[in-house]
Each structure stands twice: as structure tokens, then as C-alpha cells.
Amino acid sequence: MADGTTLSDDDQGKPVVDDNGEKVGVVSDVRGGTAHVDPDPGVTDKVKSRLGWSDADADDYPLADDEIATVTDDEIRLA
């Protein structure tokens, strides 16, 4: 993670936005310091592919630390 922040249960429910500020999903859970994201239905295949979210049967997807640019009180912004 670029800013060195450790994710916790407090981050559950935060929106996840891309580098353009577009919402791509919401943190559904934090397990072992890894955010799991429930993607918005409108998230493009291009964004899903970039994040490695290709499993169509998954309810949520793990978000790799190196994909996170910043974590604020209001959102998680992707790198």
C-alpha cells in the first residue's frame, strides 16, 4: 500500500474508487488485513481485468496492497 496504512474492520463499507474518482465497489470485508470488494454492477471488464477480478462466480474480490494508493476516512483510492 502506497501510504503504509493497514486496513482494519473500520474500513468495511468504504467506497473503492479508481484513479479518476469513479466508484468501482465497496469494501465488503477485511480479512487478514486484505480488503475484499463487492464490485459495482457497472464496473467495466477492463477495470476488473486490471485488478485481477475475473472470477464471475465470486461475491467479492481481494484487493492487493499494491493496487491501493490511499486510504482516507471516506474512501479507498486505487493506484
Side-chain angles (χ1 to χ4, degrees), residues 26-77:
V26 174
V27 177
S28 60
D29 196 10
V30 178
R31 298 188 292 264
T34 299
H36 291 260
V37 179
D38 182 14
D40 278 359
V43 174
T44 65
D45 288 338
K46 182 178 177 182
V47 171
K48 287 182 180 179
S49 177
R50 185 185 115 207
L51 296 170
W53 296 353
S54 58
D55 184 358
D57 295 332
D59 291 331
D60 61 13
Y61 299 88
L63 187 59
D65 284 351
D66 63 353
E67 292 288 346
I68 300 172
T70 59
V71 178
T72 69
D73 289 341
D74 301 317
E75 68 184 17
I76 294 177
R77 184 169 292 264

